[in-house]
Amino acid sequence: MKFFILILCFLLPFALAHLINEGRLNNFATAIVIILFTILIISYLNKNNNIAQFSLKSFFFKTKRKD
């Protein structure tokens, strides 16, 4: 799953730019794709938070880490 997310993070902006440039994707569909992609990334980061360096909760609430 980690590699899938990394590949998506790299390729999705280029795919969206190409589709927008060709006129095949309107603003509403672009916004939906970006929102769904953001939800996917946030859910992945929250789910795999046990040993990862990134913590979404500490990013938003600036809590101190317990080492």
Side-chain angles (χ1 to χ4, degrees):
M1 183 72 175
K2 182 167 91 171
F3 295 114
F4 176 71
I5 296 292
L6 288 173
I7 290 171
L8 259 175
C9 286
F10 181 71
L11 294 179
L12 186 71
F14 295 110
L16 278 177
H18 175 70
L19 290 174
I20 292 169
N21 191 23
E22 294 291 321
R24 297 181 184 163
L25 205 59
N26 60 10
N27 292 339
F28 181 71
T30 304
I32 295 292
V33 169
I34 291 172
I35 289 169
L36 289 175
F37 181 68
T38 305
I39 290 171
L40 173 73
I41 297 296
I42 288 173
S43 66
Y44 175 76
L45 289 174
N46 278 334
K47 188 175 86 173
N48 296 324
N49 195 8
N50 297 338
I51 57 173
Q53 291 179 348
F54 180 80
S55 172
L56 196 62
K57 181 180 175 185
S58 66
F59 177 74
F60 284 120
F61 298 115
K62 303 294 180 193
T63 59
K64 293 184 180 180
R65 292 183 63 192
K66 297 177 185 176
D67 292 327

